[in-house]
Amino acid sequence: MNPIDDSPRRRLLQTALVSLNGVIAEPLSWAGPYFGPGSAARSLEVLRQCEAMLMGRRTYEVFSRQWPAASGPYAQHINTMKKYVFSSTLDEAEWTNTTVVAADPAKAVAELKRTPGRDLIVYGHGRFGQTLCDAGLVDELSLTVVPVFAEGTTFYRPESPAQAWELVSAGPGRDPQLVSLTYRPVRPE
């Protein structure tokens, strides 16, 4: 008989802004007017539950330009927390507490999830986020639907395998006109 392993496991949370027509690309260009104090407070709540942020190179390039010079509780937290950027082309990260991981992202993230600690978070759903979903590593997917039609890369890519997700919560977002949806993957028994 095997002993039951009831040690807490790190969850991988993925959160993304998505337009009404399913676009996730370049949210800074279309989501800004809707992302107000309520959304910022909720983002900080979630971020404080997490020990580390995981990102691909493109997200790293945007965030590492935006956050080090910013002030306030969110900026302070994001700047001091552990960060991992997954890239085969980036040699060194200049943003505080950032480690570059050149290894296979799915394998490296699976290993990070097995280590003790609090939750891990991924912002957005670019190639890196899609890779983690495709590998079955995302434990919770939170989408904030923004009431705009936008151009660009859509959330679902045809080359991705079909996946089933269970709705955990749905309701108004923290700011007017936003909708918040949270899903967990349906895993085979």
Side-chain angles (χ1 to χ4, degrees):
M1 186 184 228
N2 291 337
I4 295 174
D5 180 8
D6 61 355
S7 60
R9 300 277 181 209
R10 280 184 178 205
R11 295 179 311 148
L12 178 60
L13 312 177
Q14 186 178 55
T15 180
L17 298 170
V18 61
S19 72
L20 284 175
N21 60 329
V23 169
I24 49 92
E26 308 297 332
L28 293 176
S29 67
W30 46 264
Y34 300 94
F35 199 87
S39 297
R42 176 64 183 144
S43 292
L44 182 56
E45 284 174 34
V46 172
L47 194 66
R48 284 184 171 154
Q49 296 172 21
C50 298
E51 183 173 322
M53 181 182 357
L54 315 180
M55 64 195 105
R57 182 178 180 144
R58 290 188 69 199
T59 299
Y60 170 77
E61 289 172 347
V62 172
F63 280 32
S64 67
R65 283 191 310 263
Q66 177 181 357
W67 292 110
S71 60
Y74 187 87
Q76 181 181 358
H77 193 81
I78 202 169
N79 284 321
T80 58
M81 74 186 302
K82 292 180 195 174
K83 294 170 282 294
Y84 296 92
V85 58
F86 293 80
S87 173
S88 60
T89 58
L90 186 66
D91 295 321
E92 189 176 308
E94 295 180 12
W95 193 10
T96 307
N97 294 330
T98 302
T99 301
V100 177
V101 181
D104 175 90
K107 288 180 182 176
V109 171
E111 182 60 35
L112 271 174
K113 285 182 67 175
R114 285 191 288 272
T115 61
R118 294 190 329 272
D119 291 343
L120 306 167
I121 190 162
V122 174
Y123 285 121
H125 192 74
R127 279 188 354 191
F128 176 65
Q130 185 68 50
T131 296
L132 300 180
C133 274
D134 291 352
L137 294 169
V138 176
D139 298 295
E140 189 172 283
L141 177 62
S142 295
L143 304 175
T144 298
V145 181
V146 181
V148 298
F149 289 112
E151 290 184 30
T153 305
T154 57
F155 189 87
Y156 177 77
R157 267 83 108 203
E159 67 274 7
S160 297
Q163 299 177 29
W165 294 79
E166 172 185 25
L167 182 64
V168 176
S169 67
R174 294 286 181 103
D175 287 304
Q177 301 187 50
L178 299 177
V179 174
S180 178
L181 303 167
T182 301
Y183 295 91
R184 291 196 184 119
V186 174
R187 304 206 199 269
E189 294 295 323

